[in-house]
Amino acid sequence: MQSPLRHGKAAIGTTIAGGALAALSQAPERATRLLRHRYPTVAVTGMTGVGKTRLADRLSRRASAQSADQGPDVGSAVMERRTRRNARLRGYRFRVVPGENAATRLGALDEVFHDEPVDGVLHVVANGYATPRRPAGTSGAALASREDQLAAELEDWAITAHRIASMAVRRDRPTWLVIAVTKADLFADDVDAAVDYYSPGSGSPFGDRLDELRALAGGAKLSIDVLPVCAQGAGKKLVEPTSLSDKACTDLLGRLELRMAQLSGHV
């Protein structure tokens, strides 16, 4: 007959072993939560030619030699990844979604909004000043009016907004969205008007689309900020003439970085 003492020790051992196994099983989940808190994933979306890669390079403190050699806003047909780290072991993992309407773009959108949902979205627009591009495989310069580019932004946004709404309603925590109005150096005298155009409740075509998104996702589940930004500067030679100094561009970028840090719980 087994003694009560031995039985008690066996029970304690079983409890300790069970606790250890439970802790080990939870370790990957805790590590994932810690990683997401310190390095949230940010989808960088927007139509082709708005400057997504250049902005992601500035935010990640990465110099893009390709952009410098080939001119402004050189696009990519595949999703690009950038990581920002600082001395406090915090930062971001950027996922730059291709702007071309191709299978690779749709696959990237599915990845960041469904397969591995991101923590925040940086949607880049350019107030109609996106660099015109010909379809993939077609050479020569492209031409497009500002009105055409604004219409193309709306069409592009409809695709992205649908996926943001679908992601937001599935999760139990709020999703943040920042509309980054880039290339502010090209319309320095009209920055306030451009921010208003892209703001919810403005009555503009884009503002109306944002109101529709909030209604679909639920106001409590989606925060929206609109900030102007200039991804030029940093001592680089500008391809376009600009009425904004390097310091002004850096200040705008700093405002965007601060808001992202606030939304991510880094400050």
Side-chain angles (χ1 to χ4, degrees):
M1 180 176 178
Q2 189 176 31
S3 70
L5 180 60
R6 181 175 297 178
H7 178 74
K9 288 182 178 179
I12 293 173
T14 301
T15 301
I16 293 175
L21 287 174
L24 286 173
S25 66
Q26 294 173 3
E29 183 180 349
R30 290 175 179 172
T32 299
R33 287 201 303 266
L34 179 61
L35 178 65
R36 294 193 77 94
H37 177 68
R38 289 187 173 273
Y39 294 92
T41 308
V42 179
V44 184
T45 60
M47 64 176 273
T48 184
V50 293
K52 298 185 298 297
T53 298
R54 187 183 292 274
L55 180 57
D57 285 345
R58 290 295 306 276
L59 290 171
S60 61
R61 302 293 193 267
R62 171 174 172 171
S64 177
Q66 184 183 39
S67 294
D69 293 341
Q70 299 182 16
D73 305 329
V74 176
S76 173
V78 298
M79 186 158 67
E80 297 188 38
R81 302 169 188 269
R82 303 283 189 274
T83 301
R84 162 87 177 267
R85 300 181 180 88
N86 64 21
R88 297 174 58 198
L89 297 180
R90 295 182 184 275
Y92 307 95
R93 292 171 291 163
F94 295 102
R95 303 291 183 262
V96 186
V97 176
E100 290 284 352
N101 287 314
T104 53
R105 175 176 183 258
L106 296 178
L109 287 171
D110 286 341
E111 179 177 336
V112 299
F113 292 128
H114 184 272
D115 300 341
E116 298 178 17
V118 295
D119 300 290
V121 182
L122 187 63
H123 186 76
V124 186
V125 292
N127 196 28
Y129 289 92
T131 303
R133 296 234 181 93
R134 286 183 176 274
T138 307
S139 61
L143 296 175
S145 68
R146 182 166 174 258
E147 289 72 23
D148 289 340
Q149 296 294 66
L150 286 171
E153 278 187 354
L154 280 174
E155 184 178 343
D156 170 85
W157 171 244
I159 298 172
T160 304
H162 175 75
R163 285 167 168 79
I164 293 174
S166 178
M167 180 183 72
V169 298
R170 292 197 312 268
R171 62 178 17 162
D172 57 1
R173 66 180 187 278
T175 299
W176 59 261
L177 165 67
V178 174
I179 306 294
V181 190
T182 192
K183 306 199 180 196
D185 50 304
L186 302 183
F187 48 92
D189 296 332
D190 298 313
V191 169
D192 290 342
V195 169
D196 183 66
Y197 172 81
Y198 290 104
S199 295
S202 64
S204 71
F206 202 97
D208 289 345
R209 297 288 180 88
L210 284 175
D211 292 337
E212 293 172 5
L213 171 62
R214 292 180 102 170
L216 286 172
K221 286 205 166 188
L222 182 69
S223 71
I224 302 176
D225 291 89
V226 185
L227 293 171
V229 67
C230 172
Q232 306 277 11
K236 295 182 180 179
K237 181 180 179 181
L238 303 182
V239 177
E240 300 280 358
T242 177
S243 56
L244 287 179
S245 65
D246 279 7
K247 182 181 183 304
C249 286
T250 300
D251 288 346
L252 289 179
L253 193 72
R255 288 175 56 195
L256 173 61
E257 291 176 321
L258 174 60
R259 186 54 183 152
M260 288 175 59
Q262 292 169 340
L263 292 166
S264 301
H266 288 177
V267 294

